Amino acid sequence: MSAIKPKSLKKVIQYAKPYQSRFNWVIVWAILLSIFAAARPYLLKQTVDDYLKNHNKEGLLLYVIIMGVVLLLEVLSQFFFTYWANWLGQDIIKDIRDKLFQHITSFKMKYFDNEPVGKLVTRTVSDIESIASIFSQGLFMIVSDILKMIVILGIMIYMNWELTIIVLLAMPILIYATNVFQKKMKVAFNEVRNEISNLNTFVQERLTGMKIVQLFNREKIEYEKFKEINQKHNKAWLKNILYNSIFFPIADFVSSLALGAIVWYGGSQILDGDTSTTFGDLFTYTMLINMLFNPLRQIADKFNVMQMGIVAADRVFEILETDSQIQDKGEVIANRFEGIISFQQVRFSYLKGEEVLKGINLEIPAGATVAIVGSTGAGKSTIINLLNRFYEIDSGKILIDQTNIDDYTIESLRKQIAVVLQDVFLFADTIYNNITLYNDSIQREDVIVAAQKIGVHDFIMSLPNGYDYNVKERGVMLSSGQRQLIAFLRAYVSNPSILILDEATSSIDSYSEELIQNATEKITKGRTSIIIAHRLATIMKADRIIVMDKGEIVESGTHAELLALEKGYYKNLYESQFSIQV
């Protein structure tokens, strides 16, 4: 047990508290199993010495029946022990997985900027399955085996202490081999888990970016990289297999030597007429020695399974104990915003020392449509991320309706802000569910009416099954323009107080853009709207245009006012786009 981290094991066992009764019953079944398993060989000794040797058929039949009953009880104990241990393990990992997923979904966006998705998938799926093995194949099995060994040793000492000494002389060799094996396997299991995580991360990224892989003819390059990672994974498992291949033959050899010594010593005593050893003893010891050494040999393997579960648990708890959540200390419930937005001396940096926003001051009146333009990296999208509290600002204040956004609950804040992004993400689900996102307050009739208003209804109904059409993973069954329309409708039906369009028309065709332009005029009316765009033709009617450059606001005004500025940033940008279009 020295190689098992007690703190880590204790953390895992804490999750068994809601199932304390079942936990206790598993221990009870383990105790009964050890008693019934050890009773059978002892009954065999009695049968051989008292009835078989004396040709007592009635007594022989009685003991055979008793052994049959004990065997049945052992089988039942084994069934309940195995079933309840696995049942407990599965319920525990269900609770851990629920907690882990909830915890991950509350992380700051910065966490996902730095952590590979494949790693998180590994932690949430395969690592948690390994935790279940702590209960199903590790802890309880070890307890059961130890109890069996204690009961069997007690019976052996009671039956024949001389033969038991021979068995005990062999045990230190097995214990030493088990300890060495256990340490080696711990290192091997750590390597296996690391390589599995690397493999998952690589495959996840390449499958997600398969279009890029094929567009740039990287199939062979990525295949060679995969072969290299897969080879490392293979080597890690081969090391695992090698240690098993060495240990178990050694354990079998030691067990066979001990059995041979017992047969020789006990047989010699019987031939010499020494009554301290009987034929029943020899019969029974051939069973007992296997029942004693097999658990000892298997305990090493079960320790390794348990270690693998503990290693996996440490990885999972590392994420569970990661404090990367946005602090949700607000108590104000945002039922509905007027939509007055104020940025006061806001500074922010994704990386320490590299400011993205440099003391931004921005006032947006209620119900106004404000456009933000600027070159890539100017800080436009960062403003949106901060408004939704995806990231924490370095300094300054962001107010909505004269209240600091930190004072609102995150749930109510985000519920009042709808965002349409340039890169639309759709789940592998129906169009209807992608629009409502399982919000029970949005009825199908509401979705249809909204779709008809913005001119999306006909396109949806042209698809097989209409609103129940499954768009598959990431919406691959739809064009980029169609995905954008679905995202726009999703924002529309949520009836937000504040609407944000982040490059929402940059990757769609002219027909879809016309639909969105018409819809934009309808849904921005009466609510505060922020439009981020590279294409200036889409924001000329905005009440106000904010021009950003290198994290600062350099110009502000209407389209006409900004064009009137000689050598203005916006004017140069507009003229360059217009000349390209011409």
Side-chain angles (χ1 to χ4, degrees):
M1 273 300 273
S2 60
I4 300 293
K5 297 180 182 177
K7 288 184 179 179
S8 300
L9 181 59
K10 186 178 179 181
K11 287 179 184 177
V12 176
I13 293 178
Q14 290 293 319
Y15 284 88
K17 281 188 176 181
Y19 312 101
Q20 188 65 51
S21 175
R22 201 186 309 165
F23 185 95
N24 294 338
W25 269 107
V26 173
I27 299 297
V28 170
W29 290 119
I31 294 171
L32 292 175
L33 178 59
S34 63
I35 293 172
F36 293 136
R40 281 192 300 109
Y42 184 74
L43 289 172
L44 177 62
K45 167 188 164 54
Q46 298 297 104
T47 303
V48 172
D49 289 342
D50 297 344
Y51 300 104
L52 190 61
K53 185 178 178 181
N54 297 325
H55 302 282
N56 186 339
K57 288 187 177 181
E58 290 78 10
L60 177 64
L61 178 62
L62 175 63
Y63 263 69
V64 168
I65 293 172
I66 292 173
M67 282 193 289
V69 172
V70 171
L71 177 61
L72 178 62
L73 292 173
E74 182 186 352
V75 170
L76 288 174
S77 298
Q78 181 72 56
F79 167 76
F80 284 113
F81 170 73
T82 304
Y83 180 79
W84 283 45
N86 279 274
W87 181 19
L88 177 63
Q90 288 300 317
D91 277 351
I92 286 172
I93 66 168
K94 172 182 66 68
D95 293 345
I96 295 176
R97 188 180 284 118
D98 285 344
K99 185 175 181 180
L100 179 64
F101 185 79
Q102 184 182 39
H103 191 66
I104 289 174
T105 56
S106 67
F107 280 162
K108 302 175 184 176
M109 288 297 111
K110 187 175 182 179
Y111 181 87
F112 299 103
D113 294 340
N114 300 322
E115 292 294 334
V117 174
K119 174 184 173 181
L120 297 177
V121 172
T122 301
R123 299 294 177 268
T124 310
V125 182
S126 59
D127 278 340
I128 287 188
E129 285 298 332
S130 296
I131 295 175
S133 65
I134 294 176
F135 297 93
S136 61
Q137 302 171 46
L139 178 64
F140 291 129
M141 291 294 182
I142 292 171
V143 170
S144 175
D145 286 344
I146 290 175
L147 287 172
K148 281 182 186 177
M149 292 168 63
I150 291 172
V151 174
I152 288 167
L153 267 176
I155 290 176
M156 292 173 83
I157 293 170
Y158 174 75
M159 285 173 51
N160 192 314
W161 66 269
E162 292 179 338
L163 296 182
T164 304
I165 288 175
I166 296 175
V167 175
L168 291 175
L169 288 174
M171 286 189 71
I173 301 174
L174 265 182
I175 292 172
Y176 175 75
T178 299
N179 188 47
V180 172
F181 175 66
Q182 180 185 335
K183 290 178 179 178
K184 294 288 185 182
M185 288 299 290
K186 182 180 181 181
V187 175
F189 276 138
N190 272 322
E191 288 184 22
V192 167
R193 298 312 304 171
N194 286 332
E195 294 307 328
I196 288 175
S197 180
N198 292 338
L199 194 62
N200 281 346
T201 299
F202 184 88
V203 173
Q204 173 88 19
E205 288 182 346
R206 270 58 186 183
L207 290 179
T208 303
M210 186 56 67
K211 185 178 289 186
I212 299 299
V213 171
Q214 295 185 355
L215 279 173
F216 289 89
N217 296 313
R218 291 187 58 85
E219 292 92 340
K220 290 182 180 179
I221 297 173
E222 299 300 338
Y223 173 64
E224 291 302 322
K225 286 185 178 180
F226 177 81
K227 279 176 64 178
E228 183 181 343
I229 295 173
N230 198 29
Q231 181 64 28
K232 290 180 180 178
H233 177 258
N234 177 259
K235 284 182 179 179
W237 270 113
L238 286 177
K239 189 180 291 186
N240 186 305
I241 294 168
L242 175 63
Y243 293 147
N244 277 285
S245 301
I246 294 173
F247 173 73
F248 288 107
I250 290 175
D252 286 337
F253 180 71
V254 173
S255 177
S256 298
L257 283 179
L259 181 59
I262 285 173
V263 171
W264 174 80
Y265 184 79
S268 297
Q269 285 186 318
I270 292 173
L271 292 175
D272 291 339
D274 189 342
T275 57
S276 62
T277 301
T278 66
F279 281 106
D281 289 338
L282 289 182
F283 269 105
T284 304
Y285 266 73
T286 57
M287 292 181 64
L288 288 176
I289 197 168
N290 282 325
M291 293 178 69
L292 180 67
F293 282 177
N294 279 344
L296 182 60
R297 184 184 67 178
Q298 291 169 6
I299 277 177
D301 194 38
K302 289 165 186 173
F303 261 113
N304 292 324
V305 171
M306 194 167 169
Q307 282 175 344
M308 196 167 187
I310 292 296
V311 169
D314 284 339
R315 294 171 183 271
V316 171
F317 290 137
E318 181 186 351
I319 296 177
L320 283 172
E321 292 166 4
T322 297
D323 184 16
S324 186
Q325 286 87 3
I326 295 289
Q327 295 299 314
D328 190 8
K329 296 180 179 179
E331 298 180 354
V332 180
I333 305 296
N335 293 316
R336 193 72 187 173
F337 287 141
E338 288 182 34
I340 304 171
I341 301 174
S342 176
F343 281 68
Q344 298 178 3
Q345 284 295 316
V346 174
R347 294 183 177 272
F348 173 76
S349 53
Y350 292 104
L351 298 175
K352 191 173 182 180
E354 298 180 16
E355 277 193 337
V356 178
L357 296 184
K358 303 171 182 178
I360 291 293
N361 288 297
L362 175 62
E363 300 292 333
I364 301 177
T369 297
V370 173
I372 304 177
V373 300
S375 59
T376 301
K380 306 184 300 297
S381 296
T382 299
I383 288 179
I384 308 310
N385 289 333
L386 298 181
L387 194 61
N388 279 281
R389 294 200 64 198
F390 289 145
Y391 298 86
E392 298 280 18
I393 62 177
D394 297 338
S395 63
K397 292 181 181 180
I398 301 176
L399 310 177
I400 297 181
D401 294 351
Q402 287 82 47
T403 300
N404 195 314
I405 60 172
D406 292 348
D407 295 335
Y408 292 112
T409 64
I410 290 179
E411 181 181 1
S412 67
L413 171 71
R414 292 176 180 170
K415 194 173 182 179
Q416 294 303 317
I417 302 174
V419 182
V420 180
L421 300 171
Q422 176 183 358
D423 183 17
V424 177
F425 187 93
L426 298 181
F427 295 96
D429 207 332
T430 64
I431 285 180
Y432 176 75
N433 289 334
N434 268 291
I435 293 169
T436 64
L437 296 177
Y438 291 91
N439 186 342
D440 294 333
S441 65
I442 302 174
Q443 303 301 315
R444 182 175 286 262
E445 294 74 20
D446 300 329
V447 174
I448 293 173
V449 169
Q452 289 171 338
K453 282 184 179 180
I454 65 174
V456 183
H457 178 72
D458 291 341
F459 131 67
I460 294 176
M461 293 306 297
S462 68
L463 300 170
N465 300 321
Y467 287 88
D468 296 317
Y469 178 67
N470 193 312
V471 300
K472 304 300 180 184
E473 187 174 0
R474 299 183 67 88
V476 295
M477 303 304 291
L478 302 178
S479 69
S480 59
Q482 290 172 330
R483 290 196 297 271
Q484 197 68 262
L485 289 169
I486 297 301
F488 201 87
L489 183 56
R490 178 163 62 193
Y492 186 21
V493 298
S494 67
N495 192 26
S497 302
I498 298 172
L499 176 69
I500 298 170
L501 305 181
D502 188 359
E503 306 286 2
T505 61
S506 63
S507 61
I508 59 177
D509 53 54
S510 57
Y511 174 71
S512 299
E513 182 178 354
E514 185 180 348
L515 287 176
I516 288 182
Q517 289 290 354
N518 292 333
T520 300
E521 293 180 8
K522 293 180 181 178
I523 69 173
T524 56
K525 188 177 181 180
R527 59 165 57 91
T528 304
S529 302
I530 301 175
I531 303 174
I532 296 175
H534 277 300
R535 298 167 64 177
L536 303 186
T538 62
I539 49 91
M540 288 189 293
K541 295 182 180 179
D543 297 322
R544 186 179 171 202
I545 299 173
I546 306 296
V547 184
M548 295 190 65
D549 184 39
K550 298 178 182 179
E552 298 179 315
I553 296 175
V554 294
E555 293 175 3
S556 176
T558 64
H559 173 70
E561 289 170 348
L562 293 175
L563 285 182
L565 296 176
E566 288 296 330
K567 297 182 181 180
Y569 189 103
Y570 180 83
K571 183 177 181 180
N572 290 335
L573 191 62
Y574 178 79
E575 288 177 349
S576 63
Q577 285 194 14
F578 181 77
S579 63
I580 292 173
Q581 291 173 4
V582 172

